[in-house]
């Protein structure tokens, strides 16, 4: 993430490889605006041919969110601030005729929100709601910071560009406002768009227009969107235009028509359940480090996925992992610039697993010739890849079939991996929700809401209601117990924030929320929440997950941890400014013991788009040359000790804890995990000042790493938090991982492209473990890319990639 939250953009450009600089420079220099600009393309009023589908919004049942009482607040925001906005209350008609642009933009921007000239903010969250209808717009809808834009999922509203549309995007999900971007894409957090039809078919085919501009970072998502684009000859329409950022998740998207369905550049992304029909090119990458595609269905396109950008001498696309997907009636599935002599060495790495083909002439087209031929009939690619492999010795350059992962049965739904999108409870009515404010919780950041929250949670679990946490900051002073069969959904990312002595003893850690007791069975669903802490909380475990779910897996969607660095945390630039010149730890800046603990008795847990973040900068600081850098300590990231396993991590990330980000310890029984992009972005910004031995003492009861022993006698940056540690476990299958270490004591020299890659010696440790496989491992800033039982198996220098270094296929087998 956020290189650019810490460095001026010019420095950012300097730290990006030449290939990657192309799209970023565009972002900085306004090239995007020139290409997708305003007046130069927007004004021809061409009457449309009949080939474009005439999308008319359906009527349908109202959504509970429309009628539920709206009483969210922002205790640290402007006084009288309103979180929920129905665009019709701002004058939008949705009648398919009226120009609703101004009304919609008012709904988003009203009330001193974080827009132009605001770097970032946690204090003005909003839900902007669209009832069903057809909303004609003549210019972009400008998204603001910390905004969730939601349409009625029961009858998806259509946002329709007028024929004279003036601008590059129907929704500008990250407006730059000026050539100097308002907020760098890598600091765009907590943003969603869901349940819409974005229709550009009234705009002339030859006009450049995109459904959504989406350069974003962590904790952002697109869900359940249909892009209705011109399929006429010469179409210049695009669905998604995303040229930079550090995201993120997108799922349940359908693209009809267009020159390019999704035009993509970003460090990494997880995209799941996307269908492309009748595009010229379904997906085109400007650049990336690693991309995970699950359940991508490409039908009747000329080209499936183009990763050839930059050409063979200067490839700008690092890697893609594509699985459980299909490609039909498409002459070329993937276009690659990789060859034996292409550069950078590992760029253009591809992994395909369980990809069904029907009438695909060429599966992988190389720069000079076919690398993998297709078939006129139907067939399935069990597994194929190109890049560098370690099995576990290596590197070997390959472009050939692979033995597919032996998929643990418990992770499957049929032959594919289980997947489940965030529940929206669209068939329920408002009376099926229990508001915590109705139940007496204040959410004002000051009142102790422990008892009120617990009482609503308990009674909802009894009645079968869904707990609705109205927007606000809810202070708790002891553990909240979430019983089996609870469902909890937040409005505008409400914050549950622990506070006080109960959570501040690192020798007696306590969960902030405890999901079930050890041994409990049952299903639990949580979505759209932030867990957090206030002031020193050295014993706080933000989430303790004990539930074993027997039938439908339990799930977490858009549930994030955030400690330090926001208004109300009492760990801002005032209290916890960075300390590069001091080795003293300020105990007031120890924010958590562990971010999430999945305990031995837990199993069957699906997590999607969850970001467990120890803040590296103060999100509510609007200026300052260093972007408000702070030093906040958390002992551990996500610790999974489930013995039965069956854990799916889809598009999760964990950042900045001391000892490790992800740890899988003593997980047995052959059911484990499909870990998608991205494992994490380490970014231990202060280490090695102090190193991972401070301030937390390793606790063997929870399998902490013992750096004092493992690093004894070693030189270099050894005692640094692991990005990914797997101990005494089996059957861990990773479909795309990013392990990044950008800094040493706030200095990024160790990770620059072509530089020493010595921010830390090692980042990924496998100990006493078997049956682990990793597709497209992308590593930055670490000398060793993977260690087994204390020995490095792969050096970064053998696997140079676009910016991160890449191993396409690693297996312990
Ligand atoms: C995939 O997306 C489509 C379109 O939104 C949806 O109908 C379908 O249920 C989704 N599939 C899964 C497995 O979620
Ligand atoms: C393509 O073929 C030409 C001629 O054989 C060769 O010189 C060139 O290196 C090849 N390019 C790549 C990227 O393999
Ligand atoms: C740390 O010391 C350097 C060199 O003396 C100085 O330039 C810098 O401002 C100091 N940083 C902080 C945060 O005190
Ligand atoms: C892994 O298992 C070995 C052998 O049983 C044991 O000695 C070691 O302590 C275990 N490691 C951890 C971190 O639990």
């Amino acid at each position: 993430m956020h290189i650019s939250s810490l460095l001026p953009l010019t420095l950012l450009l300097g730290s990006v490889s030449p290939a990657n600089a192309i799209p970023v420079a565009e972002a900085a220099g306004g090239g995007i605006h020139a290409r997708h600009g305003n007046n130069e393309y927007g004004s021809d009023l061409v009457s449309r041919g009949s080939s474009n589908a005439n999308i008319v919004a359906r009527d349908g049942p109202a959504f509970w969110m429309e009628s539920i009482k709206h009483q969210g607040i922002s205790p640290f925001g402007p006084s009288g601030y309103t979180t929920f906005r129905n665009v019709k209350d701002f004058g939008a008609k949705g009648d398919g005729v009226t120009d609703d642009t101004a009304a919609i933009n008012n709904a988003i921007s009203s009330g001193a929100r974080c827009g132009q000239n605001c770097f970032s903010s946690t204090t003005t969250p909003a839900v902007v709601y669209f009832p069903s209808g057809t909303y004609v717009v003549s210019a972009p809808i400008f998204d603001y910071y910390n905004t969730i834009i939601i349409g009625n999922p029961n009858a998806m509203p259509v946002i329709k560009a007028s024929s004279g549309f003036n601008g590059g995007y129907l929704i500008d999900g990250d407006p730059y406002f000026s050539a100097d971007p308002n907020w760098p894409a890598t600091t765009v957090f907590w943003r969603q768009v869901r349940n819409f039809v974005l229709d550009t078919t009234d705009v002339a085919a030859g006009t450049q227009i995109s459904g959504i501009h989406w350069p974003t970072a962590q904790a952002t998502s697109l869900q359940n969107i249909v892009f209705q684009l011109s399929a006429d000859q010469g179409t210049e329409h695009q669905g998604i235009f995303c040229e930079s950022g550090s995201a993120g998740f997108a799922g349940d998207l359908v693209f009809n028509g267009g020159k390019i369905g999704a035009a993509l550049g970003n460090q990494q992304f997880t995209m799941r359940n996307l269908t492309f029909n009748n595009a010229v090119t379904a997906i085109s990458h400007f650049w990336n480090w690693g991309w995970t595609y699950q359940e991508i269905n490409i039908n009747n396109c000329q080209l499936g996925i183009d990763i050839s950008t930059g050409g063979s001498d200067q490839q700008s696309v690092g890697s893609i992992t594509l699985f459980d997907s299909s490609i039909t009636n498409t002459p070329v599935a993937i276009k690659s610039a990789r060859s034996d002599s292409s550069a950078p060495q590992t760029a253009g790495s591809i992994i395909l697993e369980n990809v069904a083909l029907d009438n695909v002439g060429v599966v992988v087209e190389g720069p000079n010739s076919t690398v993998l031929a297709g078939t006129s009939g139907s067939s399935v690619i069990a597994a194929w890849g190109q890049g560098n492999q370690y099995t576990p010795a290596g590197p070997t350059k390959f472009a050939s079939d692979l033995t597919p992962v032996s998929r643990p049965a418990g992770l499957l739904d049929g032959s594919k991996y289980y997947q489940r999108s965030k529940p929206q409870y669209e068939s329920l009515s408002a009376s099926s929700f229990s508001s915590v404010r109705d139940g007496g919780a204040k959410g004002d950041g000051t009142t102790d809401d422990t008892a009120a929250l617990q009482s609503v949670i308990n009674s909802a679990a009894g009645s079968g209601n869904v707990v609705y946490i109205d927007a606000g900051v809810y202070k708790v002073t002891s553990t909240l117990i979430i019983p089996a069969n609870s469902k909890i959904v937040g409005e505008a990312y409400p914050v549950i924030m622990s506070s006080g002595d109960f959570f501040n003893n690192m020798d007696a850690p306590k969960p902030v929320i405890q999901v079930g007791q050890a041994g409990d069975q049952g299903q639990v669903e949580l979505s759209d929440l932030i867990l957090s802490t206030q002031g020193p909380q050295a014993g706080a475990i933000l989430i303790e997950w004990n539930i074993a779910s027997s039938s439908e897996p339990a799930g977490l969607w858009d549930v994030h941890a955030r400690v330090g660095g926001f208004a109300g945390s009492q760990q801002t630039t005032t209290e916890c400014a960075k300390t590069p010149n001091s080795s003293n730890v300020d105990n007031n800046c120890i924010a958590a013991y562990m971010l999430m603990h999945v305990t031995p008795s837990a199993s069957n847990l699906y997590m999607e788009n969850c970001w467990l973040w120890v803040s590296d900068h103060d999100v509510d600081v609007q200026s300052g040359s260093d972007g408000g850098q702070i030093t906040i300590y958390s002992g551990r990231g996500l610790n999974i000790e489930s013995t039965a396993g069956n854990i799916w991590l889809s598009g999760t990330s964990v950042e900045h804890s001391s000892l490790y980000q992800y740890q899988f310890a003593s997980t047995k029984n052959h059911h484990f995990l499909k870990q998608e992009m991205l494992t994490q972005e380490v970014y231990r910004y202060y280490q090695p000042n102090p190193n991972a031995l401070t301030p937390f003492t390793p606790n063997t009861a929870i399998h902490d790493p013992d750096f004092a022993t493992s690093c004894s006698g070693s030189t270099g940056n050894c005692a640094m938090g692991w990005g990914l540690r797997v101990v005494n476990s089996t059957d861990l299958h990773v479909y795309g991982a990013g392990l990044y270490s950008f800094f040493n004591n706030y200095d990024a020299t160790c990770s620059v492209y072509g530089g020493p890659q010595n921010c830390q010696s090692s980042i990924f440790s496998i100990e006493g473990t078997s049956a682990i496989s990793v597709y497209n491992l992308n590593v930055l800033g670490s000398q060793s890319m993977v260690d087994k039982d204390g020995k490095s198996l792969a050096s970064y220098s053998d696997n140079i990639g676009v910016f991160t270094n890449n191993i396409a296929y690693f297996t312990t087998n």
Side-chain angles (χ1 to χ4, degrees), residues 355-696:
V355 176
L357 308 172
D358 192 352
N359 189 24
V360 171
V362 174
V363 181
V364 178
E365 181 181 281
N368 277 346
S369 58
T370 295
V371 182
L372 179 63
T375 161
S376 57
S378 58
S379 61
V380 174
I381 298 172
W384 184 91
Q386 67 177 16
N388 279 357
Q389 66 179 0
Y390 285 75
T391 59
T396 308
K397 230 178 214 192
F398 77 111
S400 61
D401 285 341
L402 297 170
T403 306
V405 163
S406 170
R407 299 182 174 194
L411 295 176
L412 302 182
D413 179 3
S415 62
K416 293 181 174 176
Y417 284 107
Y418 172 84
Q419 48 179 314
R420 184 169 173 216
S421 301
K422 179 163 70 181
Q424 302 196 63
Y425 308 111
E426 61 268 29
S427 63
L428 299 184
S429 65
S431 62
S432 297
F433 292 78
S434 301
S435 148
V436 297
R437 275 178 76 77
D438 281 347
K442 292 278 180 282
D444 60 9
T446 311
T447 306
D448 182 348
D449 281 324
T450 318
L453 289 174
Q454 190 65 63
S455 139
V456 175
I457 289 167
N458 290 350
S459 63
S463 68
N465 263 18
V466 178
V467 175
Y468 183 65
I469 305 193
D470 312 79
V473 178
Y474 297 84
K475 189 166 103 174
V476 298
T477 56
S478 60
T479 300
L480 279 181
I481 314 274
I482 315 284
N485 304 321
S486 293
K487 293 178 169 46
I488 301 180
V489 59
E491 176 195 33
Y493 304 115
V495 179
I496 296 175
M497 181 175 77
S498 76
S499 181
D501 291 346
F502 180 81
F503 296 104
N504 195 25
N505 182 352
M506 68 166 75
D507 297 321
K510 299 285 195 316
V512 178
I513 65 167
Q514 181 180 44
V515 181
Q517 311 282 353
D520 282 1
Q521 302 253 332
Q523 212 256 352
V524 171
E525 297 174 3
L526 309 180
S527 55
D528 286 351
L529 301 174
I530 293 178
L531 281 307
S532 194
T533 59
Q534 180 182 56
Q537 296 283 269
I541 298 170
L542 275 73
I543 304 173
E544 181 184 285
W545 198 275
N546 299 309
I547 284 274
S549 178
S550 46
S551 47
E552 185 78 14
L556 288 166
W557 295 264
D558 297 274
V559 173
H560 311 298
R562 175 179 77 207
V563 295
F566 64 95
S569 66
Q570 298 176 5
Q571 290 173 329
T572 67
T573 45
T574 311
E575 298 89 359
C576 299
K578 68 172 176 179
T579 52
N581 301 329
S582 154
S583 55
N584 294 336
V585 170
D586 182 343
N587 287 339
N588 288 316
C589 301
I590 303 180
Y593 182 85
M594 188 189 297
L595 300 179
M596 180 166 177
H597 190 189
V598 179
T599 62
S601 70
S603 67
N604 229 17
L605 169 63
Y606 185 91
M607 289 174 68
E608 191 157 84
N609 199 35
C610 298
W611 181 39
L612 310 182
W613 188 50
V614 180
S615 304
D616 57 357
H617 68 281
D618 186 334
V619 179
D620 290 308
V621 162
Q622 294 302 324
S623 60
S625 56
D626 65 6
Q629 281 179 310
I630 50 180
T631 297
I632 303 291
Y633 302 92
S634 154
R636 302 141 188 97
L638 170 58
N639 184 21
I640 298 185
E641 299 181 316
S642 158
T643 53
N646 290 341
I647 314 280
W648 300 259
L649 304 181
S650 170
T652 64
S653 76
V654 183
E655 297 182 56
H656 307 164
S657 286
S658 300
L659 293 165
Y660 56 81
Q661 313 314 320
Y662 288 81
Q663 174 170 280
F664 300 90
S666 287
T667 59
K668 301 189 175 79
N669 285 6
H670 299 272
H671 295 296
F672 223 145
L673 151 125
K674 176 192 57 130
Q675 156 74 23
E676 279 187 61
M677 206 60 167
L678 73 129
T679 298
Q680 67 121 17
E681 310 177 273
V682 168
Y683 221 121
R684 263 316 333 157
Y685 51 102
Y686 62 75
Q687 284 181 352
N689 176 31
N691 69 16
L693 300 171
T694 304
F696 287 89

Side-chain angles (χ1 to χ4, degrees), residues 791-811:
K791 292 196 180 55
S792 172
L793 296 180
S795 163
Y796 85 91
S797 58
D798 290 334
N799 301 289
I800 300 292
V802 287
F803 185 62
T804 51
N805 303 306
N806 176 279
I807 295 173
Y809 177 50
F810 171 84
T811 179

